[in-house]
C-alpha cells in the first residue's frame, strides 16, 4: 500500500514549477490539476456506489474495476488529496512560503454531489440540510 500511495501521490511530489521556485509568482501546477483529478475521483466514486448497489455480481465489469480503484485509494484520501499545500516563491533570492488551499473540502463535496445525483426522490439525503464545505 505504501507503494500505491507513493505512486499516486502526485500532490506530495515536487513539480517543475515548484523546483524552479514559481518564477514571476506563477501559480503552482498542483492547482491546475485539482479539477481534472476531482473528475476522476467522481467517476471512481460513482462506480463504487453503483457496485455497492449492484446485485448482478459482475466482477469483471468496467464499473467493478473503477469501484475497485476507489476501494484502493479510499483509506488514503487525505494523503492523496491534501487540503492545503506549501507554495514557495523565491524572488531576489528571498524565499517566501505560503500555505495555500488545494483540495480543501472538495473531496467531500464531490462525494456528496455524486450521492445526491444518484439518490432516488425519497432518499433521506434530501431530508437533511446540505453540508457546508470549506475551501
Amino acid at each position: 500500500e505504501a507503494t500505491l500511495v507513493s505512486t499516486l501521490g502526485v500532490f506530495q511530489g515536487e513539480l517543475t514549477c515548484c523546483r524552479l521556485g514559481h518564477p514571476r509568482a506563477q501559480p503552482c501546477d498542483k492547482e491546475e490539476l485539482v479539477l481534472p483529478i476531482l473528475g476522476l475521483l467522481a467517476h471512481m466514486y460513482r462506480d463504487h456506489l453503483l457496485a455497492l448497489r449492484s446485485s448482478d455480481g459482475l466482477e469483471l465489469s468496467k464499473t467493478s474495476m473503477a469501484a475497485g480503484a476507489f476501494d484502493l485509494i479510499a483509506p488514503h484520501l487525505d494523503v492523496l488529496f491534501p487540503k492545503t499545500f506549501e507554495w514557495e516563491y523565491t524572488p531576489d533570492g528571498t524565499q517566501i512560503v505560503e500555505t495555500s488551499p488545494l483540495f480543501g473540502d472538495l473531496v467531500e463535496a464531490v462525494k456528496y454531489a455524486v450521492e445526491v445525483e444518484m439518490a432516488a426522490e425519497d432518499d433521506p439525503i434530501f431530508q437533511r440540510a446540505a453540508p457546508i464545505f470549506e475551501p
Side-chain angles (χ1 to χ4, degrees), residues 63-95:
T63 298
S64 293
M65 289 191 312
F70 180 81
D71 292 339
L72 281 173
I73 68 167
H76 310 286
L77 291 179
D78 288 341
V79 173
L80 296 173
F81 303 93
K83 291 184 182 285
T84 61
F85 76 107
E86 299 296 313
W87 181 80
E88 297 181 18
Y89 173 50
T90 311
D92 305 322
T94 306
Q95 185 179 35

Side-chain angles (χ1 to χ4, degrees), residues 22-100:
H22 300 99
R24 299 176 308 281
Q26 71 185 27
C28 186
D29 289 343
K30 291 177 182 181
E31 295 169 288
E32 300 294 325
L33 292 172
V34 168
L35 290 179
I37 296 293
L38 282 173
L40 293 171
L41 177 66
H43 176 76
M44 288 188 296
Y45 187 61
R46 179 183 53 85
D47 287 353
H48 165 77
L49 293 180
L50 285 171
L52 290 177
R53 295 176 184 181
S54 173
S55 60
D56 61 20
L58 296 175
E59 292 298 322
L60 298 178
S61 73
K62 181 179 172 185
T63 298
S64 293
M65 289 191 312
F70 180 81
D71 292 339
L72 281 173
I73 68 167
H76 310 286
L77 291 179
D78 288 341
V79 173
L80 296 173
F81 303 93
K83 291 184 182 285
T84 61
F85 76 107
E86 299 296 313
W87 181 80
E88 297 181 18
Y89 173 50
T90 311
D92 305 322
T94 306
Q95 185 179 35
I96 298 170
V97 179
E98 295 178 5
T99 300
S100 298

